[in-house]
Amino acid sequence: MLEQWQTGYVTKIVDATHNTRRFWISIPEKDRFDFKPGQFVTLDLPIHEKKNKRWRSYSIASHPNGSNEIELVIVLLEGGAGSTYLFNEIKEGSELTLRGPLGVFVLPEPLEKELFLICTGTGIAPFRSMVHHIKKHAIPYQKINLIFGCRYQKDLLYAEELQQLQLEMPGFNYIPTLSREDPNWHGQKGYVHKIYEEMLAADKRPANFFLCGWKEMIDEARQRIQAMGYDRKDIHLELYG
């Protein structure tokens, strides 16, 4: 059964980076908005006459906390009708029409294998939700590697929060990697693929791979992971754009 459209209200907006914004939305029709970490909502925006050209889907960046409020993190795409509308027209107090939760990009139960969460840009959203959920519910896990690719340090979303989670969760590795030259950066450089390939080069251990972000990154990661000898069933993906 497809979820019905509901009215949400924007309760808070915060600029996250120079081109990304965090939107908190409450859904008063529900006492609590139940979802699984990794799921998304679809917004119906007044940007086109045709229904399917008005719909934009965004992963939920917050974790299920028993409230009826969720957080989305959205990047302003050059020439993108949906994100331009959200950035220019939506203010605190604005109404949004949405439905969800939707999607099957969710964690396996139980977490028996090492997790590689690989993302670019706002593809961090579902993984932030997953990691907080694992911590909050003390869900047993093997090891979690969050590999986050961005161009510059200024593009890294939730950086302090994820560094803090790394301190608090044994076996959780937060690995940001930058593809552009950044003189103040002392972390990983290059693309995300190099990181997981190096981590698994000596020991092809059982693992689940979750990929979220731009299509080019996902296509390449899928090929490389299978080339390392992993099964297609070990790879889960959520495409952006």
Side-chain angles (χ1 to χ4, degrees):
M1 184 186 103
L2 198 55
E3 287 276 336
Q4 297 299 308
W5 292 101
Q6 300 165 79
T7 302
Y9 294 90
V10 177
T11 53
K12 186 172 152 191
I13 299 174
V14 172
D15 284 334
T17 68
H18 68 104
N19 67 342
T20 55
R21 207 170 268 182
R22 299 166 69 183
F23 295 81
W24 282 262
I25 303 165
S26 74
I27 300 97
E29 291 166 43
K30 295 195 170 183
D31 292 333
R32 48 190 292 163
F33 191 86
D34 285 321
F35 65 96
K36 290 184 174 178
Q39 289 191 300
F40 63 88
V41 292
T42 297
L43 306 183
D44 185 359
L45 305 173
I47 52 176
H48 204 278
E49 295 83 65
K50 288 190 177 161
K51 274 186 196 171
N52 58 350
K53 299 211 168 168
R54 295 201 305 253
W55 296 349
R56 296 291 185 276
S57 296
Y58 299 101
S59 294
I60 302 170
S62 46
H63 59 285
N65 60 7
S67 81
N68 65 357
E69 188 174 69
I70 57 171
E71 180 191 333
L72 307 179
V73 60
I74 296 171
V75 62
L76 180 61
L77 293 174
E78 213 174 308
S83 62
T84 300
Y85 175 83
L86 289 165
F87 273 61
N88 292 347
E89 304 299 329
I90 294 298
K91 311 279 184 282
E92 290 181 5
S94 293
E95 274 187 28
L96 283 169
T97 302
L98 75 155
R99 77 173 170 206
L102 302 160
V104 293
F105 187 69
V106 296
L107 290 166
E109 294 175 17
L111 296 175
E112 293 174 325
K113 298 179 182 179
E114 186 169 340
L115 285 178
F116 284 82
L117 310 176
I118 303 163
C119 58
T120 49
T122 51
I124 189 77
F127 300 150
R128 177 190 184 231
S129 179
M130 288 174 183
V131 175
H132 275 290
H133 180 74
I134 289 167
K135 179 174 184 279
K136 183 184 175 199
H137 295 281
I139 295 167
Y141 58 92
Q142 298 304 319
K143 198 172 171 195
I144 304 170
N145 308 294
L146 174 52
I147 305 170
F148 183 18
C150 283
R151 287 182 174 176
Y152 301 103
Q153 199 168 344
K154 65 177 184 181
D155 299 320
L156 290 170
L157 292 159
Y158 307 115
E160 287 177 16
E161 186 184 303
L162 293 165
Q163 285 162 353
Q164 188 58 37
L165 283 172
Q166 182 171 240
L167 296 174
E168 295 170 4
M169 294 176 70
F172 170 58
N173 299 315
Y174 165 58
I175 311 166
T177 179
L178 303 184
S179 62
R180 300 287 190 275
E181 208 44 57
D182 197 325
N184 304 316
W185 181 249
H186 305 296
Q188 291 280 1
K189 292 177 182 164
Y191 293 107
V192 292
H193 311 294
K194 175 186 81 152
I195 314 283
Y196 59 80
E197 285 180 335
E198 284 175 1
M199 291 175 78
L200 292 163
D203 169 22
K204 191 185 92 54
R205 49 201 183 271
N208 267 310
F209 299 85
F210 282 76
L211 314 174
C212 190
W214 296 110
K215 184 176 186 307
E216 293 76 16
M217 181 280 283
I218 288 183
D219 287 346
E220 186 169 343
R222 194 160 49 168
Q223 287 166 358
R224 286 175 179 246
I225 292 162
Q226 286 181 252
M228 286 193 288
Y230 286 94
D231 195 285
R232 276 202 346 231
K233 294 199 292 286
D234 297 326
I235 305 170
H236 315 267
L237 31 128
E238 194 78 282
L239 283 176
Y240 278 23

